Amino acid sequence: MLKRLTPLLWFLFSAGGTVAALVFPAHMFVTTIAVPMGWLDAPSYASLLDLVRHPLTRLYLFVIISLPLVHGAHRLRYMLYDVLKLKHLTAPIVAVCYGTAVVGSAAAAYFLLNLP
Amino acid sequence: MSDRVHYTPYHPKWYRRKMSVWWWLEQWRYTKFVLRELTSIPVAWFVLLTLWQVRALVEGEAAYQRTLLWLGSPALIILNIFLFGGVLFHAFTWFNLAPKAMVVRVAGKRVPDIVIVAQNYAVWIAVSAFVIWIWMKVS
Amino acid sequence: MADTITLSVSRYRPEQESEPIFQDYEVPFHKDWAILDALNYVKDELDGSLSFRWSCRMGVCGSCGMMVNGQPTLTCAAFLSSYLPGPIRIEALRFFPIVRDLVVDITDFMTKLKKVKPWLVRDEEKPLSEGEYLQSPEQLDNYKQYSMCINCLLCYSACPVIGLEPNFIGPAAIALAQRYNMDSRDQGAAERLSILSQDDGMWQCTFVGECTEVCPKGVDPAGAIQRYKLTGATDWLKSVLLPWGSK
């Protein structure tokens, strides 16, 4: 069954990779380097919450969380096959990799729908 | 030759070299490939960080401040600088390779790869600038 | 300039050895000699028992592929002067079973190539009276790059997936499938897509890109495969989202 989904998984992997390549550098630079180093002021809780509450922002955040998770899962799966030669463990690898992506996306959806 | 799944007929005198599990260390080009694929780990790390921050927003002001403090600790800044390098490496290798999947023809001639790559980078700069602008507006 | 250069050649004689060993030969250094010329010197003057394949000696037949210093190379296109001071390590093409010395068995590849139907597939042949199939230069341009493949199999030796998954159909076979898919005279794209969407088809490829790096004819099999993945994925989405559309 997984074999029939291969083209879809590759498509999501590509989309996730493109999303990550396009927006992650900027986001990561701001939240993990610029703000902690004091080059940019941290947004106040209220104003950040305001921005995130907007439906477009929620959708955007969901996309930049779920797609790169599938991307990472897909790549990691093939790395485990090729680098660690674990092809015989296909079933658990697939379950853990894509399972994490699904759980992460579900968690994102839950949080984004339950903003105060 | 029959069309069985087993392609090469087994021949006891032919020599078949085994592929070592360290094959990817034997040549720099292969190592570079594995490093490129491993950038999926920094990417996943940042996704989880984002998820964590959203969770903090849901929990309330106190959780949000705690997250900011945690992100500001020296150990985490150093770790994140290193992983940020990984995310950048992902972006650069992605933009350089993506045009291979799409061949664009304009007026019958094939657009050279470098033009597509340049376009990718242009879009990346525009999107990044927009993201940073939004952040600055919110802080 | 050096007078001589050493070739360190992998020998495998099943009747003598259970695994390949290296044998050194000192050959005269000429600045216009290719490695193939040096190997022929060995066979003619030093050791007639050395076995290797070669034919056109000008990079169009694909027979003389070997590992030179660990890289898959056409020995007729690699010059001794690039490898000074030596020694030059020469081995049989990687990931293929070695029959003897530098000769490998390529039956595997021939079977895989046949699987992708590397010929023009038509629903109906035009009768002779209707004349030739016409093709414009732009239509030729679409697939010309992929038609340059000389089946030298350097790409198979460069591809780690072939080493890890010997049943993987491989770069040259997929590039040749694309050569026909993109030929305006061909009508077999759907057939080939269903063959290459199977287990050992294009989805095994992880875009290492080494196949394109070593290809002596600029075929760019990696690019061909990525394009094919995009076609396959788009096709799949279309069949799922628009099931009523005909192929």
Side-chain angles (χ1 to χ4, degrees):
Chain A
M1 203 225 43
L2 186 69
K3 283 154 193 180
R4 294 171 74 229
L5 290 179
T6 318
L8 176 68
L9 287 173
W10 181 85
F11 196 74
L12 293 175
F13 153 81
S14 291
T18 310
V19 163
L22 275 179
V23 304
F24 274 26
H27 273 285
M28 191 164 184
F29 181 71
V30 168
T31 54
T32 66
I33 300 177
V35 164
M37 299 277 270
W39 302 338
L40 258 181
D41 287 326
S44 72
Y45 178 74
S47 56
L48 189 59
L49 190 59
D50 240 359
L51 173 69
V52 173
R53 267 209 208 98
H54 193 288
L56 275 183
T57 324
R58 297 196 210 209
L59 183 61
Y60 173 75
L61 283 173
F62 181 72
V63 166
I64 74 166
I65 289 175
S66 59
L67 284 180
L69 271 179
V70 177
H71 169 90
H74 194 82
R75 249 177 168 170
L76 191 65
R77 170 188 171 203
Y78 281 96
M79 270 303 95
L80 292 174
Y81 289 169
D82 292 344
V83 177
L84 294 181
K85 279 190 156 195
L86 292 174
K87 192 93 192 268
H88 51 284
L89 294 176
T90 304
I93 288 179
V94 162
V96 169
C97 289
Y98 297 121
T100 312
V102 167
V103 167
S105 307
Y110 173 74
F111 290 136
L112 290 167
L113 290 171
N114 284 300
L115 290 170
Chain B
M1 209 100 257
S2 71
D3 278 342
R4 296 169 313 178
V5 173
H6 174 68
Y7 292 129
T8 311
Y10 177 67
H11 198 295
K13 293 244 177 89
W14 291 349
Y15 184 76
R16 286 163 167 75
R17 193 167 271 114
K18 291 226 96 170
M19 193 170 184
S20 146
V21 81
W22 304 111
W23 64 269
W24 49 282
L25 286 171
E26 286 167 14
Q27 272 187 50
W28 168 235
R29 279 141 124 195
Y30 288 154
T31 315
K32 227 170 48 164
F33 160 69
V34 170
L35 286 175
R36 182 194 97 197
E37 296 298 291
L38 287 178
T39 59
S40 53
I41 297 182
V43 164
W45 164 256
F46 183 67
V47 170
L48 294 175
L49 264 190
T50 309
L51 198 51
W52 190 254
Q53 290 180 298
V54 171
R55 179 188 158 279
L57 276 185
V58 170
E59 280 205 8
E61 167 103 46
Y64 175 67
Q65 294 302 335
R66 266 195 312 249
T67 313
L68 283 182
L69 223 64
W70 177 62
L71 282 172
S73 61
L76 216 65
I77 295 185
I78 293 176
L79 176 68
N80 278 326
I81 288 180
F82 177 66
L83 293 174
F84 173 68
V87 168
L88 270 184
F89 188 52
H90 162 80
F92 287 147
T93 49
W94 193 266
F95 291 139
N96 288 341
L97 287 177
K100 295 278 187 163
M102 302 210 292
V103 170
V104 181
R105 301 198 107 83
V106 172
K109 283 205 109 128
R110 183 176 162 164
V111 176
D113 275 355
I114 188 106
V115 171
I116 313 260
V117 171
Q119 277 178 1
N120 284 349
Y121 280 114
V123 172
W124 177 62
I125 291 175
V127 168
S128 302
F130 179 68
V131 166
I132 295 185
W133 176 75
I134 298 262
W135 271 109
M136 289 175 75
K137 266 194 68 180
V138 117
S139 32
Chain C
M1 263 282 143
D3 262 341
T4 62
I5 190 167
T6 306
L7 299 184
S8 200
V9 183
S10 165
R11 303 299 308 269
Y12 175 64
R13 288 147 297 202
E15 69 274 9
Q16 274 175 236
E17 281 109 32
S18 58
E19 57 173 51
I21 56 159
F22 280 97
Q23 191 167 346
D24 283 0
Y25 301 100
E26 208 166 315
V27 302
F29 175 83
H30 293 263
K31 80 172 160 38
D32 55 344
W33 270 20
I35 297 188
L36 181 61
D37 298 315
L39 284 172
N40 271 319
Y41 177 85
V42 169
K43 193 163 174 86
D44 290 341
E45 310 285 341
L46 299 178
D47 185 348
S49 71
L50 180 62
S51 308
F52 54 95
R53 288 201 181 103
W54 65 282
S55 184
C56 72
R57 86 239 182 302
M58 60 182 196
V60 292
C61 72
S63 308
C64 67
M66 298 175 211
M67 306 299 286
V68 177
N69 285 354
Q71 283 291 106
T73 319
L74 288 184
T75 48
C76 65
F79 292 89
L80 291 179
S81 53
S82 320
Y83 296 89
L84 281 175
I88 311 177
R89 200 174 77 246
I90 303 176
E91 298 161 278
L93 223 45
R94 188 171 38 191
F95 303 144
F96 289 98
I98 305 178
V99 177
R100 185 182 188 81
D101 293 340
L102 302 168
V103 177
V104 295
D105 175 77
I106 62 170
T107 324
D108 224 10
F109 168 70
M110 299 313 282
T111 318
K112 290 173 183 175
L113 183 59
K114 226 169 64 162
K115 260 179 78 156
V116 309
K117 300 189 196 245
W119 49 77
L120 287 176
V121 170
R122 302 268 321 169
D123 298 329
E124 244 182 69
E125 294 286 345
K126 255 174 31 167
L128 274 177
S129 50
E130 282 187 30
E132 323 91 322
Y133 294 109
L134 295 179
Q135 190 171 73
S136 70
E138 286 80 29
Q139 289 173 316
L140 171 63
D141 212 35
N142 269 337
Y143 68 89
K144 181 154 183 207
Q145 188 182 11
Y146 305 137
S147 72
M148 305 307 277
C149 177
I150 58 175
N151 293 5
C152 64
L153 304 184
L154 298 190
C155 53
Y156 281 67
S157 286
C159 174
V161 182
I162 286 281
L164 294 161
E165 300 288 325
N167 286 341
F168 173 43
I169 251 199
I174 305 180
L176 283 163
Q178 282 286 63
R179 175 254 175 278
Y180 286 96
N181 287 339
M182 298 188 185
D183 192 323
S184 54
R185 301 166 292 180
D186 177 81
Q187 293 170 332
E191 242 177 292
R192 291 194 198 93
L193 185 58
S194 63
I195 294 169
L196 284 168
S197 302
Q198 283 163 24
D199 268 5
D200 299 319
M202 59 166 139
W203 300 109
Q204 289 261 25
C205 166
T206 53
F207 203 177
V208 178
E210 272 306 288
C211 52
T212 294
E213 291 287 310
V214 302
C215 177
K217 308 304 283 183
V219 172
D220 188 15
I225 302 177
Q226 302 324 302
R227 290 174 71 183
Y228 212 3
K229 285 184 190 169
L230 189 59
T231 313
T234 326
D235 209 72
W236 187 95
L237 282 175
K238 272 201 272 192
S239 70
V240 159
L241 299 175
L242 308 165
W244 53 83
S246 57
K247 266 229 169 101

